[in-house]
Amino acid sequence: MLTKNEKIAWFDIETTGLDFDTDKIISIAIVTTDQKGNVINSFESKVDPCGVKSSKEAFEKHGITDEELVGMPKFSEIAPMIATFMEGCDIGCHNGIKFDIPFLMREMDNAGVYFG
């Protein structure tokens, strides 16, 4: 496996829809592993999308109701934890280049948290 770092952060997000400009992350799960795939740590949180409702298509994929997100932390509240958790890791995810990574980068930027 070609990696720059000793750890890999594997992550997946769920969102209210597919629009990078208006939709929001509503769930994030991260597992860090060593290069052999041994789990080091994990982090998971649902996220308050601040009034953005899930599209019918998104709900059919993830099954998370808008009601489940009431009282969950806002992304800006967990962004520093995410940055710390993934610090020093290579990144791995399914559909990352076209979806998960751009969504995560935008949300981190909106939260004012450096992530890179």
Side-chain angles (χ1 to χ4, degrees), residues 22-33:
T22 59
D23 286 306
K24 300 286 186 184
I25 292 175
I26 59 169
S27 177
I28 184 165
I30 311 166
V31 174
T32 56
T33 67

Side-chain angles (χ1 to χ4, degrees), residues 9-11 28 30 32 81-91 104 115:
W10 304 94
F11 81 97
I28 184 165
I30 311 166
T32 56
M81 289 182 281
I82 292 169
T84 299
F85 194 84
M86 297 175 85
E87 185 176 14
C89 296
D90 285 335
I91 304 295
L104 182 60
F115 178 73

Side-chain angles (χ1 to χ4, degrees), residues 74-103:
K74 293 175 175 45
F75 192 87
S76 60
E77 295 170 339
I78 64 169
M81 289 182 281
I82 292 169
T84 299
F85 194 84
M86 297 175 85
E87 185 176 14
C89 296
D90 285 335
I91 304 295
C93 57
H94 175 72
N95 199 25
I97 299 295
K98 293 184 179 183
F99 190 79
D100 289 40
I101 292 172
F103 249 103

